[in-house]
Amino acid sequence: MDILILLLILLGALIMVYNITCYSLFLRDTRDVLLSGGNNVGLWRKLALCLLIFFLLGYLFIAIFTDPNLLVALILFFGSVFVSIVLILMFRLLETVKLRSLDIAKALIGVIDARDPNLNGHSLHVQSLTMLIYKYLPRQLKSQINSVSLEYASLLHDVGKLGIPEAILNKPEKLTDEEWEVMRTHPSIGVRFLQPIKAFEDIDDWIRYHHERVDGQGYYKLDGKDIPLASRIISVADTYSAVTLRRSYKPAKTYEDAVAILRDAAGTQLDSTIVDIFLAIPKEEVDACMPEKMREHGDAAEEPRGTAETNA
Ligand SMILES: [Fe+2]
């Protein structure tokens, strides 16, 4: 066989193996909130993988059992290059869609923050802290959660506060029992807001139960073991953020204060395993999660609104 033909066939085969590897990694890494899309999409994606493998086998069959001429070698080689280009374009397009979706979610969070000055930066803070905890999860816990879905759920966990009257949301004094009843509806309001977005189906429960306590005394009185792992992670991040961010009705507390509060809440309000994982993270990494705009603010020495400050 001519050396040029051999070279083209070898290069083409290598490119096809590379394509199949990239596509397999893509299938593994993108089982997330944006790309789940139901069983049919999953079926088509697997079918595409089968066709790629079939193409590679056909390629090898022609190369080994026939005597390809230059034209056949060129067709095989450029066929592989064409598949590569299509895959690269598809990956880039999906990356752009994902980034833009995250930008839209952040814009929505900006609306919540603008409505409630107390939440200024809180959602972004919770998102960063949640993803930091995720980074430190042991492998067997990590495998239970999709990181992209977790990012959206943590960012949008308080979106339901858009449905809470401003008089309650911005009340500087302690809330009455009736007002707490209204405040406690924000997780379910959030789920209702997100319901039209089919891709968020998987994270509905994560948002719904982000205030559940492991001792079963949360908003829904859900038993600790029934609270989704993602909700338990968001809950720890949410509590730390609520303690360390300054609000109009309370000053910001220090990292050490927050550690004491988290230790106190472990096993009752919060999952003690997740608290332990969080407390083992180097302080500098936790500090780095603080949104830039919140670092510029000083403490305001005002009275706390109530004991549930860490729970709303
Ligand atoms: Fe909340």
Side-chain angles (χ1 to χ4, degrees):
M1 198 187 297
D2 193 298
I3 189 81
L4 179 64
I5 295 173
L6 189 67
L7 206 65
L8 283 171
I9 285 177
L10 271 177
L11 269 175
L14 282 174
I15 292 171
M16 269 317 291
V17 171
Y18 176 76
N19 289 342
I20 290 171
T21 311
C22 285
Y23 189 73
S24 305
L25 291 173
F26 161 77
L27 287 184
R28 193 198 66 187
D29 295 339
T30 54
R31 286 170 299 147
D32 62 55
V33 70
L34 287 176
L35 301 170
S36 54
N39 291 335
N40 283 344
V41 174
L43 197 70
W44 281 108
R45 288 161 67 184
K46 279 174 194 148
L47 187 64
L49 178 64
C50 290
L51 285 175
L52 277 178
I53 294 171
F54 183 75
F55 183 70
L56 175 67
L57 293 176
Y59 189 111
L60 292 175
F61 179 84
I62 292 171
I64 296 167
F65 297 106
T66 66
D67 187 20
N69 58 26
L70 185 62
L71 182 67
V72 173
L74 281 170
I75 291 171
L76 290 174
F77 174 75
F78 284 111
S80 302
V81 174
F82 174 73
V83 173
S84 282
I85 293 171
V86 170
L87 285 179
I88 288 168
L89 285 176
M90 185 184 78
F91 294 153
R92 287 203 176 156
L93 191 68
L94 286 172
E95 201 49 46
T96 309
V97 169
K98 284 170 87 169
L99 286 176
R100 291 205 178 143
S101 305
L102 204 55
D103 285 346
I104 291 169
K106 283 181 179 167
L108 185 62
I109 293 309
V111 176
I112 308 172
D113 287 5
R115 195 164 167 266
D116 180 358
N118 285 313
L119 284 177
N120 197 9
H122 170 68
S123 301
L124 284 172
H125 193 208
V126 173
Q127 181 200 19
S128 303
L129 290 166
T130 299
M131 297 320 291
L132 182 64
I133 297 172
Y134 176 80
K135 188 177 119 185
Y136 280 90
L137 284 182
R139 192 186 296 222
Q140 102 271 9
L141 289 182
K142 215 176 210 172
S143 65
Q144 294 175 30
I145 299 179
N146 180 278
S147 62
V148 181
S149 303
L150 186 64
E151 202 165 1
Y152 276 93
S154 54
L155 187 63
L156 295 167
H157 74 284
D158 267 346
V159 73
K161 285 192 174 170
L162 280 170
I164 303 294
E166 277 187 51
I168 296 177
L169 217 50
N170 296 325
K171 187 177 176 181
E173 303 89 30
K174 191 175 173 178
L175 299 182
T176 64
D177 288 348
E178 292 74 34
E179 287 165 338
W180 269 117
E181 278 305 308
V182 177
M183 187 62 114
R184 285 192 181 105
T185 58
H186 79 265
S188 56
I189 294 174
V191 171
R192 225 167 46 229
F193 282 166
L194 298 175
Q195 232 145 37
I197 308 174
K198 214 171 162 4
F200 282 163
E201 258 173 15
D202 293 344
I203 63 170
D204 278 357
D205 278 351
W206 299 2
I207 291 175
R208 195 193 317 274
Y209 300 127
H210 78 269
H211 281 297
E212 285 314 285
R213 297 169 54 104
V214 292
D215 61 6
Q217 297 304 306
Y219 288 9
Y220 289 88
K221 305 275 182 277
L222 211 66
D223 200 70
K225 64 177 172 18
D226 296 329
I227 304 171
L229 174 62
S231 305
R232 284 178 270 146
I233 296 170
I234 293 170
S235 187
V236 171
D238 192 19
T239 304
Y240 179 85
S241 175
V243 171
T244 53
L245 288 191
R246 184 184 66 88
R247 296 189 179 186
S248 65
Y249 51 84
K250 74 165 191 70
K253 289 193 169 112
T254 63
Y255 172 82
E256 289 70 25
D257 292 333
V259 167
I261 289 171
L262 289 182
R263 283 217 169 96
D264 219 36
T268 51
Q269 181 191 331
L270 304 171
D271 183 319
S272 48
T273 307
I274 306 296
V275 170
D276 287 344
I277 291 168
F278 180 71
L279 296 183
I281 299 173
K283 179 179 178 293
E284 310 76 63
E285 286 192 54
V286 175
D287 287 347
C289 292
M290 181 74 77
E292 202 61 53
K293 54 187 170 185
M294 299 309 295
R295 290 181 207 173
E296 294 154 10
H297 290 163
D299 290 358
E302 292 178 38
E303 286 299 309
R305 177 159 68 178
T307 51
E309 65 181 80
T310 60
N311 206 25

